[in-house]
Amino acid sequence: VKSISKIGHEYHLMIKNPAKYIDLLDVSENDNIIIHYELCENIPTLLDQIREKGCHVGLAIDAPTPPEAILNYYKKIDLVMVMLIHAGRMGSEFQKNCLHKIKNIQERIDRQGYKVVIGVDGSVNRETIPSLKEFGVSHFVGGSTGLFVSGIPFEKCAKDFKDLVLA
């Protein structure tokens, strides 16, 4: 894919012990590598390992995880990915409490002066994108409810998704 595309790629490592895989990734400065807070030990070392690759550093948190859990990592990351569903459960219901979590994260980032993008993954679709944007989200991951909707051509889903994100 890299040979035919100039856009950045995202490597969302929803795995335990991602260190050995991080080194295997061929990344550029436009790419993101995201690890999961709940699945990793020694997070500061992993974030440094990703930074050394020369790409963007991301940290994902699962829907039930409180935003306070990642307070010490804002200075080391470029992206915080808020899972809007329980991670690993494709098609799960949108967790509305995540809107307050996103607001809390945005306020803390602003207060501390960090340049961290807020992204979301899980249940990102035409119903959720407008309110997510209002809460400061600027990075959207499309999946089974937004881009790959059964019975709707991908081209239509992709156009609608793009239009909503850019509106």
Side-chain angles (χ1 to χ4, degrees), residues 40 95 101 107 114 140 154:
C40 297
Q95 302 294 304
K101 179 189 299 191
E107 288 171 352
Y114 294 120
F140 300 87
F154 172 75

Side-chain angles (χ1 to χ4, degrees), residues 53-126:
K53 298 283 289 181
C55 64
H56 301 283
V57 180
L59 185 61
I61 58 172
D62 203 1
T65 303
E68 295 78 20
I70 62 168
L71 282 176
N72 294 327
Y73 302 115
Y74 291 137
K75 61 183 170 267
K76 288 185 163 276
I77 63 175
D78 303 300
L79 168 71
V80 58
M81 181 68 69
V82 178
M83 301 301 295
L84 301 176
I85 61 172
H86 294 287
R89 297 185 188 154
M90 185 175 86
S92 296
E93 187 174 318
F94 175 67
Q95 302 294 304
K96 291 183 178 160
N97 65 316
C98 288
L99 291 174
H100 298 292
K101 179 189 299 191
I102 292 165
K103 182 178 180 186
N104 181 293
I105 290 169
Q106 185 66 62
E107 288 171 352
R108 289 172 188 267
I109 288 169
D110 290 345
R111 191 170 42 244
Q112 295 174 355
Y114 294 120
K115 293 186 182 195
V116 177
V117 171
I118 299 177
V120 290
D121 187 354
S123 200
V124 178
N125 56 50
R126 76 179 87 221

Side-chain angles (χ1 to χ4, degrees), residues 9-70:
H9 296 84
E10 187 157 284
Y11 302 92
H12 190 143
L13 303 179
M14 195 183 324
I15 55 175
K16 291 182 180 180
N17 306 317
K20 63 184 175 184
Y21 300 100
I22 292 168
D23 284 335
L24 296 174
L25 295 172
D26 177 25
V27 296
S28 70
E29 64 185 24
N30 293 326
D31 295 340
N32 299 323
I33 298 177
I34 302 167
I35 59 171
H36 272 254
Y37 170 81
E38 298 82 5
L39 296 176
C40 297
E41 295 178 12
N42 205 0
I43 291 174
T45 300
L46 290 169
L47 298 176
D48 290 341
Q49 181 185 3
I50 296 169
R51 180 70 64 206
E52 289 171 11
K53 298 283 289 181
C55 64
H56 301 283
V57 180
L59 185 61
I61 58 172
D62 203 1
T65 303
E68 295 78 20
I70 62 168

Side-chain angles (χ1 to χ4, degrees), residues 146-163:
L147 278 179
F148 305 101
V149 181
S150 180
I152 303 174
F154 172 75
E155 293 77 12
K156 177 170 177 22
C157 291
K159 181 186 180 317
D160 292 349
F161 193 91
K162 180 181 175 184
D163 290 348

